[in-house]
Amino acid sequence: NTPSIIAPMLIFLPILGLALGIVLNSLADNLPPDAEDRRYPPRRPRCRQCGQPYAPAYWLALGHWLLRGGRCSHCRTRRPLRPVLLELACAASLPYLWLWAARPADGAGPEAIRFVAAAVVVLVFILVVAIDVEHRLILWPVVWPSAIAIALLGSVTPGHGLVKTLLDDGWQVTATVR
């Protein structure tokens, strides 16, 4: 990373994180089954109380909370705080991961792969935590695509490869006797 690219990336990545937060919120709202055991495809953000979709200006939960106090324009029910926290977690994690992945000696290619791999893992974790905290579920439609994506990214990550990604036991704990 050259110093000239640091400032633009530290502005761009939180914005990208907020946009990805909108997508993750949609997944967290629609993938778990509702009270009648129905599942929905990802769709526009909507009020949980009245079911009316939010105007595009309020898809970003943080903006909705700042501009309208998080209240639905149809039924005046307050939007939950989880979407705001999820968006903030995404917005904060991407710049951190980009700085973490930066190893100028490796070059831009490995750095980008390391960043994308770490971002996928962290964003999947944020989605799993959001669904688990609200519904006490870890969903197969999240786990399987994530496992495949992480395996593919791990196979192209410098220093890993497919065999090490799938078979390496990197979590070995050694005990020392004193």
Side-chain angles (χ1 to χ4, degrees), residues 90-112:
C90 291
S93 65
L94 291 184
Y96 173 79
L97 292 172
W98 184 74
L99 292 172
W100 168 82
R103 294 183 195 152
D106 291 348
E111 181 179 301

Side-chain angles (χ1 to χ4, degrees), residues 1 97-98 100-118 153 156-160:
N1 286 327
L97 292 172
W98 184 74
W100 168 82
R103 294 183 195 152
D106 291 348
E111 181 179 301
I113 292 170
R114 209 172 9 260
F115 167 72
V116 170
L153 285 167
V156 297
T157 299
H160 282 271

Side-chain angles (χ1 to χ4, degrees), residues 73-84:
S73 59
H74 302 283
C75 69
R76 305 291 298 150
T77 301
R78 182 162 282 187
R79 193 172 189 169
L81 193 55
R82 187 265 301 157
V84 174

Side-chain angles (χ1 to χ4, degrees), residues 44-86:
R44 292 176 27 180
R46 59 189 63 243
C47 177
R48 287 186 181 181
Q49 185 68 30
C50 68
Q52 291 295 316
Y54 294 121
Y58 302 124
W59 288 1
L60 183 67
L62 178 62
H64 192 193
W65 270 85
L66 293 174
L67 297 173
R68 295 189 53 97
R71 295 204 177 271
C72 174
S73 59
H74 302 283
C75 69
R76 305 291 298 150
T77 301
R78 182 162 282 187
R79 193 172 189 169
L81 193 55
R82 187 265 301 157
V84 174
L85 296 175
L86 189 144

